[in-house]
Amino acid sequence: MTLREAIANIEKPIALVNGATGGIGLAIVKALLRQPHWTAIFALSRSAQSNTALLALADLDERLCVLSTDLSNSQDQEDLGRNIEAVDGQLVYICNCVGILHEKNIRPEKRLEDCTQQAMHSAFNTNALIPLFLIQALVNYIPRNIPSLFVSFSARVGSISDNRLGGWYAYRTSKAAHNMLIKTLSVELSRRRPHLTIIAYHPGTADSALSRPFQKNVPSEKLFSCDQAASYFLSVTDKLTEQDTGSFFAWDGSTIPW
């Protein structure tokens, strides 16, 4: 049985999207809202409650719970747990879309000398630690005896086996650390939550703020709109089974070597 089939039979399922103000994250929230079986959908980011697009969606659909959450803050982690607990339902679908490739004073490195502490710390905090803090905050609210999913966005460049070009030190190494987190979680939680499927996911290149400065060499057929990227994501996750836990999938359903 696929996860989609299993979740469709669960009473009062809850979904959660972290990074819901990003291009793909927002598109995933919209796609989930079009599915009537969700009892509640939580949309998280540090600035969620000031995001006009999310707030407009919440006005239209009372199932959407918009929360400004800084997962590096222990109080925010506790508050998130209490908000989940307050809803009459079962948390069975968790998607982490948060990631950083560049920001104001940080750009992907072309050579060793370009590496800085600021860039490395920022990349590791966002790409590797935030997913850890998210599952840490939520693990006790994930049911033990029914199918559920935790999927976190990675990137193909985080694959050690697939690295043929070098460069992009902060992004590559933080995504490799992210992938080890996913693999390690899948081992431990297979004992604590035996029906929880945990995967890393590469969404391809979407036309979003993260990839926009680096799109010029991307073939047009490989540059997806955020709605396309969300559609591919749901297509892949809908077909997952519990046997897929601990895997790394690409947007087209293929597996990526760690």
Side-chain angles (χ1 to χ4, degrees), residues 45-46 67-77 125 130:
S45 84
R46 289 181 299 179
L67 295 177
S68 292
T69 305
D70 181 355
L71 287 160
S72 63
N73 182 293
S74 59
Q75 185 61 57
D76 279 17
Q77 288 187 42
N125 181 67
I130 292 302

Side-chain angles (χ1 to χ4, degrees), residues 1-14 35-39 90 92-93 146-149 237-238 240:
M1 179 183 293
T2 66
L3 279 176
R4 179 180 175 86
E5 292 167 338
I7 289 173
N9 292 318
I10 293 171
E11 185 178 0
K12 298 180 179 179
I14 297 172
Q35 300 178 351
H37 60 278
W38 299 110
T39 289
Q90 302 184 89
V92 293
Y93 195 97
I146 60 175
S148 53
L149 173 68
T237 56
D238 283 350
L240 294 174

Side-chain angles (χ1 to χ4, degrees), residues 6 33 42 48 68 90 101 144 156 158 160 195 202 225 248:
L33 286 170
F42 283 85
S68 292
Q90 302 184 89
L101 172 58
R144 178 176 173 78
R156 188 180 294 273
I160 294 174
H195 297 287
H202 167 61
S225 70
F248 185 8

Side-chain angles (χ1 to χ4, degrees), residues 119 133 191:
F133 297 146
R191 300 185 289 269

